[in-house]
């Protein structure tokens, strides 16, 4: 891994197992707004194939035959803002830690002068909340650039977030390594020409990852597989 000039991290499922916190925040938001919606673990696993929170809610409403007239753009934005705030509160209260091996990999990368970036479909507010809660204020300065869902037109599996990250890094794709946990993320990074390391996560661990540079259960395996010394 030391041959790469930059490591580009996904967030949800990769830096931390945040998806259960997202699911809880969605369900609490639905209850707050008086919606008779509840996303079980099994249902949420299916809905995660749709990237983006607002897109996911629209998809669910259409799939379940819910009246889309009740889900105007304004109401959807209000619901998503509330959900984002609730997610931030749960994260700040310590609901989720970084996955094993993440901090060690960040430290190794910094010692090698490798650049660190983020390319994610989640919102910048969610990214900031996680980094601040798990790494402190210094966490906000570790990654540059941070490309979030609101920064691009099309979210993963489209390559937009990775293409923008490459542009901001000023590096060719072959000199970067994307670290992902999902097939959508893999497709997105590969479409931008970036090799991908997969770290299997709770919601996506059974997906297939053909074309990945390497697949590990946890980033703690990197030293054992001689990917880091």
């Amino acid at each position: 891994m030391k041959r790469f000039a930059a490591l580009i991290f996904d967030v949800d499922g990769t830096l931390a197992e945040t998806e259960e916190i997202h699911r809880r925040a969605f369900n609490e938001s639905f209850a707050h707004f008086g919606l008779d919606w509840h996303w079980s673990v099994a249902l949420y696993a299916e809905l995660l194939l749709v990237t983006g929170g607002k897109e996911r809610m629209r998809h669910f409403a259409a799939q379940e035959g819910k009246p889309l007239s009740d889900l105007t753009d304004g109401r959807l934005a209000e619901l998503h803002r509330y959900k984002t705030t609730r997610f931030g509160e749960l994260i700040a209260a310590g609901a989720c830690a970084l996955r094993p091996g993440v901090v060690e990999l960040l430290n190794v990368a910094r010692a090698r002068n490798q650049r660190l970036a983020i390319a994610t479909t989640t919102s910048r507010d969610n990214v900031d909340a996680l980094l601040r809660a798990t790494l402190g204020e210094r966490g906000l300065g570790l990654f540059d650039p941070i490309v979030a869902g609101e920064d691009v037109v099309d979210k993963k599996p489209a390559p937009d977030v990775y293409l923008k990250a490459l542009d901001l890094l000023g590096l060719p794709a072959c000199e970067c390594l994307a670290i992902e946990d999902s097939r959508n993320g893999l497709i997105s990074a590969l479409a931008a020409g970036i090799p991908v390391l997969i770290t299997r996560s709770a919601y996506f661990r059974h997906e297939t990852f053909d074309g990945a540079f390497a697949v590990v259960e946890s980033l703690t395996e990197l030293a054992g597989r001689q990917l880091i010394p």
Side-chain angles (χ1 to χ4, degrees), residues 73-136:
D73 288 346
R75 182 166 173 78
L76 185 66
E78 183 182 13
L79 178 57
H80 194 256
R81 279 195 299 271
Y82 184 92
K83 179 264 168 184
T84 298
T85 298
R86 186 64 188 126
F87 174 84
E89 291 170 347
L90 292 169
I91 290 295
C96 192
L98 294 178
R99 291 186 62 188
V102 169
V103 171
E104 291 80 2
L105 180 54
L106 294 177
N107 289 339
V108 167
R110 285 174 61 81
R112 290 179 179 150
N113 293 317
Q114 288 174 310
R115 296 173 66 183
L116 300 171
I118 282 175
T120 179
T121 60
T122 198
S123 71
R124 180 60 190 261
D125 286 344
N126 287 342
V127 176
D128 288 353
L130 178 67
L131 295 180
R132 186 177 288 109
T134 57
L135 295 169

Side-chain angles (χ1 to χ4, degrees), residues 9-138:
F9 287 81
D10 172 53
V11 174
D12 293 321
T14 300
L15 286 179
E17 292 280 14
T18 52
E19 296 297 3
E20 262 307 284
I21 313 305
H22 281 295
R23 188 178 74 88
R24 177 178 169 184
F26 273 117
N27 284 331
E28 291 183 7
S29 300
F30 301 153
H32 177 80
F33 283 89
L35 295 171
D36 63 342
W37 299 5
H38 180 81
W39 290 355
S40 67
V41 171
L43 174 58
Y44 192 58
E46 295 176 9
L47 291 172
L48 282 174
L49 297 177
V50 179
T51 53
K54 286 182 281 191
E55 293 86 349
R56 199 169 295 139
M57 287 188 282
R58 276 203 186 282
H59 174 82
F60 173 75
Q63 180 177 272
E64 296 297 309
K66 306 292 184 182
L68 290 177
S69 59
D70 294 340
L71 202 62
T72 63
D73 288 346
R75 182 166 173 78
L76 185 66
E78 183 182 13
L79 178 57
H80 194 256
R81 279 195 299 271
Y82 184 92
K83 179 264 168 184
T84 298
T85 298
R86 186 64 188 126
F87 174 84
E89 291 170 347
L90 292 169
I91 290 295
C96 192
L98 294 178
R99 291 186 62 188
V102 169
V103 171
E104 291 80 2
L105 180 54
L106 294 177
N107 289 339
V108 167
R110 285 174 61 81
R112 290 179 179 150
N113 293 317
Q114 288 174 310
R115 296 173 66 183
L116 300 171
I118 282 175
T120 179
T121 60
T122 198
S123 71
R124 180 60 190 261
D125 286 344
N126 287 342
V127 176
D128 288 353
L130 178 67
L131 295 180
R132 186 177 288 109
T134 57
L135 295 169
E137 291 301 321
R138 81 178 188 94

Side-chain angles (χ1 to χ4, degrees), residues 194-209:
I194 306 172
V196 184
L197 168 69
I198 292 290
T199 173
R200 293 188 187 274
S201 64
Y203 271 94
F204 297 115
R205 65 180 305 100
H206 300 301
E207 290 189 320
T208 58
F209 299 108

Side-chain angles (χ1 to χ4, degrees), residues 130-200:
L130 178 67
L131 295 180
R132 186 177 288 109
T134 57
L135 295 169
E137 291 301 321
R138 81 178 188 94
L140 298 179
L142 281 178
F143 300 90
D144 183 25
I146 295 176
V147 183
E150 61 263 43
D151 298 323
V152 296
V153 175
D154 294 318
K155 298 179 180 179
K156 299 174 186 176
D160 298 33
V161 287
Y162 279 108
L163 292 172
K164 183 158 188 174
L166 289 175
D167 182 57
L168 293 172
L169 284 165
L171 291 171
C174 62
E175 292 186 14
C176 300
L177 178 69
I179 302 177
E180 279 280 356
D181 72 309
S182 72
R183 182 159 180 79
N184 273 343
L186 172 70
I187 293 169
S188 174
L190 289 180
I194 306 172
V196 184
L197 168 69
I198 292 290
T199 173
R200 293 188 187 274

